[in-house]
Amino acid sequence: MAVSDRAAIAVGGCGEVGKTPMPRRLYRFHCLGGGDAVFDLQGRWLSSIREVRQHADRVALGLMTGVGCQDWTVWTVDVRDAAGRPVLFRAFTAVRVDGQRA
């Protein structure tokens, strides 16, 4: 390995050696169901689809625990990127809490 290669790795940031870190992107997490909607106007900066999926689960859980009796079987989290393109649709019934469905 040449000296310049080591220098590039040293300043490359955290993560695996030789891999460039994923850029953080803005995602919006809208909740839709039964003719109702909760829109995410602020969004969240995340760097992987795993983080997107985990945050979608937290958003769904937050809504389910913060609002009284609802039929959550028709609700989904609709995740969009900054340009409004669909990234992920996650049914509230698919959300997992401690390995169990919510």
Side-chain angles (χ1 to χ4, degrees), residues 4-73:
S4 61
D5 293 338
R6 277 188 246 132
I9 291 171
V11 297
C14 61
E16 294 182 44
V17 173
K19 295 208 176 189
T20 57
M22 287 194 57
R24 293 172 56 86
R25 293 189 167 102
L26 181 66
Y27 298 95
R28 289 191 168 79
F29 296 80
H30 308 303
C31 296
L32 311 169
D36 294 316
V38 178
F39 293 104
D40 178 3
L41 302 178
Q42 186 174 10
R44 181 95 177 202
W45 290 89
L46 301 169
S47 59
S48 73
I49 193 66
R50 180 179 178 197
E51 288 179 352
V52 169
R53 191 174 301 111
Q54 289 171 341
H55 189 69
D57 284 359
R58 285 193 295 274
V59 168
L61 285 170
L63 191 57
M64 287 188 281
T65 58
V67 177
C69 298
Q70 282 276 346
D71 176 13
W72 299 113
T73 60

